[in-house]
Amino acid sequence: MLPLIAMTVATQTVLTPVDLAKQIDPKRMQATVEKLASWNDRNTNNPTCTEAAEWIAGQYRQIPGLEVEIMKYRLPKMARVPEEKEVVQVVATLKGQTDRRILVGGHFDTINMVDRENGLRARAPGANDDASGTALALELARVMSQRKWKNTLVFVAFSGEEQGLYGSKAVAERAVKEGWKIDGVFSNDMVGNSANKNGQKDDKHVRVFSADSAEPGEAERTQSSRELARLIEFLSRGTFGVKLVFRNDRFGRGGDHTPFMQAGYSAVRFTEVYEEYTRQHTGDDLPQSVDFKYAANAAKVNLIAMGAMADAEEPPTRVRIDRTQGHDTTVNWKGQPGVIYTVYWRETTSPVWTGSVDVGPYETYTAKKLSNDDYVFAVGAHGGIPVEAR
């Protein structure tokens, strides 16, 4: 596990991700959600979407060190878009020492799919779906901007999600075109509902979805998204529970992480354990139904994992298992001089890493009395996504 105490560099104390997670403020998140829900709607087709984007950008601009952009893209004519138009979303960047990026976001646009009479103008406060994810990303920016990071952090308020993930598609396409080096994408969509009307409640866990299967030629993409999910679960232990779900998203539905995964980046979706469907895409998605303590805990999970990755070196390459038969397993990899690596292992039937050891600066490790017949191994730069040994 990563160290739980603050590190000291020269005479300056550097706050660790765990230290910073303690500063997540549910009241600030509540204020953001309440402000966003005060718009009648934030439908991507309407001027209210632009108004909300400008407000969000203004909030990011108040945070020292961030570069804030109102990004424009074209929304094509379709079933939920009467006419092709230019729309906006917000991208805020906290530059690190490298151009490797970790991206976190939620969509701020809303839709009412029940009130047919009022159509695009129907009341759609979208407090949980997804002002909660938008507030989470903004809160992370406020807290994580307090210190310098090795890698670059990007905070996004997506629009166009309710029309078919168009905002996240625009960012993913831009990332590919401009050659962004994205280590991981954290999409937060509905992270504020801890109980539903069916009598189910879970305020101790947040679900993390990662791609369940690969399209032909996409095995490496799926593997990295799955390993990102496993890393999040591993790092969050002792902070808040993570329930891993090994499929790309909820059955038959999608989220803003998907275009990034399809573009070849490691991407996962955070969402509450129990959804309340009567408060999705209706006028009843109100702030009073949001559990802000729960949402703050989801933010802490994001921060701890993002912070670890934000200080991680590049992943190792050529991670291999020595094929010599025996009672032990030796793992070799190609790394960088002076870098500490973490070796992970789990039984083949386990969905999560059950053991780990920090190694370094070396490029080999022998796991005593752990047979490669029974265990899966992986190696990652300390705090970075593990690479499975082959």
Side-chain angles (χ1 to χ4, degrees):
M1 288 288 285
L2 296 180
L4 301 184
I5 58 174
M7 300 172 290
T8 301
V9 179
T11 58
Q12 181 182 8
T13 298
V14 178
L15 294 170
T16 68
V18 173
D19 294 326
L20 290 171
K22 296 174 183 177
Q23 299 185 31
I24 295 293
D25 188 347
K27 291 184 179 179
R28 279 199 303 250
M29 294 179 68
Q30 180 175 355
T32 299
V33 170
E34 289 176 345
K35 174 61 178 179
L36 290 171
S38 70
W39 272 278
N40 178 71
D41 66 86
R42 302 187 301 278
N43 193 298
T44 306
N45 291 280
N46 297 340
T48 48
C49 180
T50 302
E51 293 170 11
E54 290 173 345
W55 181 83
I56 294 167
Q59 294 300 298
Y60 276 113
R61 290 191 181 106
Q62 293 178 25
I63 302 172
L66 263 66
E67 297 179 1
V68 184
E69 172 191 359
I70 293 184
M71 176 183 168
K72 299 178 180 179
Y73 66 98
R74 301 296 298 183
L75 193 66
K77 182 178 179 179
M78 67 186 90
R80 297 182 185 177
V81 184
E83 297 293 337
E84 179 182 348
K85 63 181 302 181
E86 183 178 78
V87 295
V88 298
Q89 56 191 354
V90 183
V91 180
T93 304
L94 183 65
K95 286 191 173 180
Q97 299 172 19
T98 80
D99 61 354
R100 290 167 49 213
R101 309 182 194 209
I102 300 94
L103 187 150
V104 63
H107 73 88
F108 71 95
D109 65 306
T110 65
I111 195 170
N112 188 317
M113 299 180 67
V114 176
D115 185 353
R116 305 294 184 182
E117 180 180 350
N118 290 299
L120 297 179
R121 300 290 182 177
R123 176 79 173 121
N128 189 42
D129 184 13
D130 182 34
S132 64
T134 305
L136 183 150
L138 178 59
E139 180 66 9
L140 261 57
R142 287 169 172 153
V143 174
M144 299 185 79
S145 64
Q146 295 180 67
R147 54 154 288 191
K148 300 293 185 181
W149 301 92
K150 179 178 183 62
N151 302 317
T152 295
L153 301 176
V154 183
F155 308 89
V156 184
F158 296 107
S159 62
E161 194 272 349
E162 301 292 7
Q163 286 69 38
L165 314 179
Y166 279 90
S168 50
K169 286 179 184 177
V171 178
E173 289 171 359
R174 174 181 173 182
V176 171
K177 182 178 180 180
E178 297 181 2
W180 292 7
K181 300 174 183 177
I182 300 179
D183 286 359
V185 175
F186 295 60
S187 175
N188 287 266
D189 195 344
M190 299 190 302
V191 290
N193 187 74
S194 59
N196 62 25
K197 294 180 180 180
N198 196 40
Q200 296 170 296
K201 180 176 181 178
D202 189 338
D203 58 1
K204 306 298 183 186
H205 300 83
V206 63
R207 286 186 292 177
V208 176
F209 287 81
S210 60
D212 185 50
S213 60
E215 297 296 327
E218 290 188 337
E220 290 300 321
R221 301 179 187 181
T222 300
Q223 182 64 38
S224 59
S225 293
R226 181 61 45 77
E227 294 308 339
L228 172 56
R230 287 196 177 102
L231 178 67
I232 292 166
E233 187 279 335
F234 179 80
L235 293 172
S236 69
R237 294 175 190 174
T239 302
F240 193 63
V242 169
K243 180 180 179 180
L244 297 182
V245 184
F246 286 170
R247 55 173 24 130
N248 182 53
D249 208 318
R250 301 147 307 151
F251 186 77
R253 295 179 287 170
D256 284 320
H257 64 301
T258 300
F260 292 95
M261 187 274 292
Q262 292 172 337
Y265 299 114
S266 304
V268 297
R269 176 199 174 112
F270 290 77
T271 200
E272 60 219 17
V273 176
Y274 292 121
E275 301 177 48
E276 177 44 57
Y277 304 106
T278 64
R279 293 196 291 264
Q280 293 178 15
H281 306 154
T282 73
D284 295 330
D285 187 358
L286 299 167
Q288 52 262 42
S289 298
V290 176
D291 182 340
F292 291 102
K293 180 179 179 181
Y294 176 78
N297 282 327
K300 292 176 183 179
V301 173
N302 276 258
L303 192 154
I304 288 171
M306 284 184 63
M309 293 176 65
D311 275 337
E313 300 288 348
E314 293 188 18
T317 59
R318 295 188 57 79
V319 183
R320 300 288 185 267
I321 292 176
D322 188 319
R323 294 182 177 273
T324 303
Q325 293 181 332
H327 301 292
D328 308 327
T329 298
T330 297
V331 183
N332 302 300
W333 61 91
K334 183 173 178 58
Q336 300 179 47
V339 173
I340 294 176
Y341 294 92
T342 303
V343 179
Y344 302 85
W345 59 86
R346 58 184 173 84
E347 291 190 74
T348 59
T349 54
S350 174
V352 300
W353 298 115
T354 54
S356 69
V357 62
D358 288 338
V359 179
Y362 312 118
E363 294 180 324
T364 187
Y365 176 75
T366 299
K368 297 293 185 181
K369 298 181 180 180
L370 296 180
S371 168
N372 54 30
D373 292 332
D374 302 329
Y375 288 84
V376 176
F377 293 85
V379 181
H382 188 64
I385 299 177
V387 178
E388 185 175 327
R390 301 294 185 180

